[in-house]
Amino acid sequence: MSTAIETAPAPVVTSAAQLIKDSYKGKIHPDWCPGCGDFSVLTALQTALFELGLKPHQVLVISGIGCSSNLPGFINTYGMHTLHGRSLAVATGAKLANHELKVICTGGDGDGYGIGGNHFVHTMRRNIDLTYIVMDNQIYGLTTGQCSPTSVKGMKTKSTPHGNVENPINPLPMAIVGGATYVARGFSGKQKHLVELLKGAIMHKGFSLVDVFSPCVTYNKDNTYQWFNPRVKILEDQGHDPTDFHKAIDKGYMWGEEIPIGLLWKRTDLPSLEELEPVLDDGGPLAFRQLGITDEQANALIKELL
């Protein structure tokens, strides 16, 4: 990896009329390997936010640990780089503190489906209004190429030199049965399609998962752009009905010569967690309410917690 390079300060935007695509460009250049699929995901997310007209201060991007989890440093929104596998837990707290923010989590398959697997399950069942973008490269890239939860069986990696003997996690059927109400899969090689998936996920009221095939060009020599390109088929071109539970499950399990990408599953009849929480009904976001104690007491409490 190259060393991150700091550039000019990110532009300050206070009105929608001032928005340009560079409004979301962070002050740090990404330090991903040349050709990494994560570049395309970052650009797709910036484009989606621009096309939705969301101002940078209306968005919070939270990540865990890993190559892709560096993304909050490369985008001009509020951001937080948290502990390994803990992005969804932190994001839940942030969303409940200010439910008017658009909260987006970014990370990789190891971070989200391995170390963060427990949080993944429980965040889905709560249907909290978060968008989770998993840049799935099917390997641990930051630690130089060990087997990850989505590495296919038989795959040879640094940690499995004789071939992976474990079955991989399939995050899409898991998310559909786990309570996620917007489940999609994208591909870094089809950025325009990915933009639409991300826009739908961000505007969806409830927990949305967008699993993105994001090839690791350095350590995964099996699941490359050349391997994915002839196999990925766009569901929207096939007339797939994302409200059909059983077809969504079937599409989620498809793997091999044809791999569906697109919106697999969506339901809008379940309220999100913050809609069910009576404390949030009146008075606006908790973050803006009076604490009911003096400023001196509040400052002392904050100092103690920090």
Side-chain angles (χ1 to χ4, degrees), residues 71-86:
L71 189 145
F74 310 141
I75 190 168
N76 180 35
T77 64
Y78 288 122
M80 187 180 295
H81 196 172
T82 69
L83 299 175
H84 209 179
R86 301 294 177 259

Side-chain angles (χ1 to χ4, degrees), residues 224-245:
T224 61
Y225 288 100
Q226 294 77 13
W227 189 86
F228 278 117
N229 268 322
R231 290 174 170 81
V232 294
K233 307 296 179 187
I234 296 177
L235 285 170
E236 289 75 13
D237 294 342
Q238 301 174 354
H240 172 68
D241 176 7
T243 66
D244 189 319
F245 177 84

Side-chain angles (χ1 to χ4, degrees), residues 90-283:
V90 176
T92 297
K95 186 69 180 182
L96 293 177
N98 186 352
H99 58 288
E100 292 183 353
L101 271 177
K102 288 292 184 186
V103 182
I104 300 167
C105 290
T106 62
D109 42 296
D111 182 63
Y113 304 144
I115 296 90
N118 187 42
H119 291 299
F120 181 55
V121 171
H122 291 287
T123 308
M124 289 190 294
R125 74 176 172 83
R126 293 171 180 139
N127 192 34
I128 187 164
D129 186 17
L130 302 173
T131 297
Y132 193 22
I133 304 169
V134 179
M135 285 161 266
D136 189 348
N137 59 15
Q138 300 164 284
I139 205 160
Y140 280 95
L142 186 66
T143 48
T144 69
Q146 295 82 13
C147 190
S148 89
T150 55
S151 297
V152 297
K153 197 169 187 176
M155 183 177 175
K156 292 184 178 181
T157 71
K158 183 175 287 186
S159 60
T160 56
H162 301 294
N164 179 22
V165 297
E166 299 176 350
N167 290 314
I169 279 177
N170 188 326
L172 301 180
M174 182 186 295
I176 293 168
V177 300
T181 48
Y182 183 105
V183 179
R185 175 189 276 154
F187 172 45
S188 288
K190 294 193 180 298
Q191 189 182 97
K192 189 175 179 180
H193 177 247
L194 180 58
V195 169
E196 296 306 314
L197 294 179
L198 295 181
K199 286 165 63 178
I202 293 167
M203 297 311 294
H204 175 72
K205 189 66 178 174
F207 185 82
S208 54
L209 170 72
V210 183
D211 183 85
V212 185
F213 293 137
S214 184
C216 174
V217 296
T218 303
Y219 296 109
N220 189 337
K221 302 301 182 185
D222 293 347
N223 307 115
T224 61
Y225 288 100
Q226 294 77 13
W227 189 86
F228 278 117
N229 268 322
R231 290 174 170 81
V232 294
K233 307 296 179 187
I234 296 177
L235 285 170
E236 289 75 13
D237 294 342
Q238 301 174 354
H240 172 68
D241 176 7
T243 66
D244 189 319
F245 177 84
H246 295 287
K247 286 185 178 176
I249 293 287
D250 290 344
K251 294 293 183 182
Y253 275 114
M254 287 184 69
W255 186 263
E257 294 307 309
E258 180 174 338
I259 304 174
I261 61 172
L263 177 59
L264 279 83
W265 170 244
K266 181 179 180 179
R267 63 183 298 183
T268 58
D269 58 322
L270 291 180
S272 62
L273 180 68
E274 64 277 16
E275 290 178 303
L276 295 171
E277 177 50 67
V279 174
L280 302 180
D281 271 352
D282 298 316

